[in-house]
Structures are given as structure tokens and as C-alpha cells.
Amino acid sequence: MAFPVIPWDLGEPQPAVVELVREAEFRDEVLDAGCGLGDNAIMLAGRGLRVTGIDCSPTALDSARKRAAAAGVRVDFVQADATSLTGLDGRRFATVLDSALYHCLGDDDRHRYVAELHRVTEPEAHLHLVCWAEGSSPAARHPMGVSESNLRTTVGVLWDIREIRATTLSTSLVRDSLTDQQIDEFRQLGATIDRDLAPVDNKGRVSGPAWYLHAVRR
């Protein structure tokens, strides 16, 4: 899916993840699955954690490495397919962060992904997952929203789900700066953004309903 503007490049950690890190325990080693441009991984490394970030995009990983260097932290960025984590053979992670990867996968790939996370984690590892919610606000609808039941029937096969609750994901799109052309291009991709009614975060960026899932590896 080619977006007219990169909606996930906030240039800083996802606010939902920042809040999560304040509340939840993150233990070494940490796997950031679908790390993208690396901002969440860099934040975690800045807290003294050993972090590995995986993504399928070499371009995103190049940018992530530059951002980590600029921040003065070390993150092991690895190009990998989330549904086949062969590049991580022999590794065992205590914590997994998934910030906006799960909803990008189809149903079959979600099952493979969850199984691969189980394979590369240690017993009683913690999974923290944030994804767009199905039936998002009609003023800001994401085309890949996930239902709560999907999370339970997919993740719950191999992981003990401790909590699923509503949260919010922010995008990089400043609502008041969006052009008609950009809004139309997003509409053609299945996304709806109402410039007058779309919810925004405290920086004026379009945001929307999401799920936060916490699970523990069996």
C-alpha cells in the first residue's frame, strides 16, 4: 500500500508506546517487531535495554540505524520477515513490542507471526501489542482494523492473554495541514479522514481507536 504521506513516521516514539513503557515492565532482551524507522526501539535502548528491531524494509532499517546513531544508542536492527524469523535463530527474547505490525498481516500470516514470536521468546515472555481497531471512528477509519475476537482467537492459541483494552494510535498527519488531494488519495486506499471531525492527539495529529494487548508466553 503506497501512502501519499508516510503516516507512521512521527519522528518520535508512538505516544501509546511511551505510555505503555511507563506502565509495563520491559525486560531484556527486547524484540521490536516491525520496528520501521526505529523510534520506539531507540526509546527503549535509551532506557538501558538491549533491543533488537526487525523489519522487512531495508530502507526503513537504514533510516533507523542513522536515527539510533544520532541518539547515541545501540540497537541491533535486522532485516527479517515477521512470519519467518530465521534471522533470529538461537535468540530468546523476554519482551516483545509490536506497535502497528499485526494489523498489516493477513489472517494466515498472523497465525504464522504469532507462532514465530512464540518460537524466539523464552518461557513467560511478555508480548505488548498495539494495533488499529476494527470499526474505527467514521471520521478517521483505518482500512486494516482488527477485531478484539481476532486477537483472542489468534494470539490466544499460544499466549495467555492478560489484557485487551482500548487505546489510541497517532499518525504523522497533522489534520489542519492535510490537502484535499491527500485526503482523496487516502480514500482511494480505503482510509477515511474527515478534516473537520477526525480525532487528533495533543499535537494536532490525526489519531484513531486501537487495541492494546498484553499476553504472556506459555
Side-chain angles (χ1 to χ4, degrees), residues 146-208:
V146 174
S147 67
E148 180 179 354
S149 63
N150 178 274
L151 290 171
R152 291 193 181 278
T153 57
T154 305
V155 179
V157 172
L158 295 171
W159 298 72
D160 289 326
I161 296 175
R162 300 294 175 85
E163 179 184 17
I164 298 178
R165 60 174 166 82
T167 186
T168 302
L169 277 172
S170 293
T171 73
S172 64
L173 309 174
V174 178
R175 186 182 66 183
D176 292 344
S177 299
L178 286 170
T179 67
D180 290 339
Q181 180 179 348
Q182 288 171 334
I183 291 172
D184 184 62
E185 288 174 338
F186 277 106
R187 185 179 297 113
Q188 292 176 33
L189 293 169
T192 300
I193 301 175
D194 187 313
R195 189 164 43 224
D196 298 319
L197 299 176
V200 296
D201 64 14
N202 60 3
K203 294 187 177 181
R205 299 174 299 202
V206 174
S207 61

Side-chain angles (χ1 to χ4, degrees), residues 25-179:
E25 180 184 6
F26 278 68
R27 296 184 291 114
D28 282 333
E29 294 185 16
V30 179
L31 174 64
D32 183 359
C35 65
L37 297 160
D39 294 308
N40 294 327
I42 291 166
M43 173 187 64
L44 292 169
R47 291 174 171 261
L49 292 163
R50 289 173 292 160
V51 184
T52 297
I54 64 156
D55 202 276
C56 65
S57 168
T59 302
L61 292 173
D62 285 344
S63 295
R65 294 184 183 102
K66 292 175 183 176
R67 293 186 185 191
V73 300
R74 180 181 177 184
V75 179
D76 184 16
F77 289 111
V78 177
Q79 185 176 355
D81 178 349
T83 66
S84 178
L85 297 174
T86 53
L88 301 179
D89 288 344
R91 305 284 293 275
R92 290 296 181 267
F93 297 93
T95 309
V96 177
L97 171 66
D98 174 342
S99 175
L101 170 61
Y102 181 86
H103 61 238
C104 297
L105 304 173
D107 284 340
D108 290 342
D109 280 345
R110 287 172 183 170
H111 283 280
R112 283 190 282 267
Y113 167 57
V114 168
E116 283 295 281
L117 291 183
H118 188 274
R119 186 177 66 82
V120 301
T121 49
E122 62 186 36
E124 298 187 351
H126 289 255
L127 168 62
H128 301 285
L129 184 155
V130 185
C131 65
W132 288 109
E134 185 179 68
S136 300
S137 165
R141 187 179 66 81
H142 194 283
M144 295 182 283
V146 174
S147 67
E148 180 179 354
S149 63
N150 178 274
L151 290 171
R152 291 193 181 278
T153 57
T154 305
V155 179
V157 172
L158 295 171
W159 298 72
D160 289 326
I161 296 175
R162 300 294 175 85
E163 179 184 17
I164 298 178
R165 60 174 166 82
T167 186
T168 302
L169 277 172
S170 293
T171 73
S172 64
L173 309 174
V174 178
R175 186 182 66 183
D176 292 344
S177 299
L178 286 170
T179 67

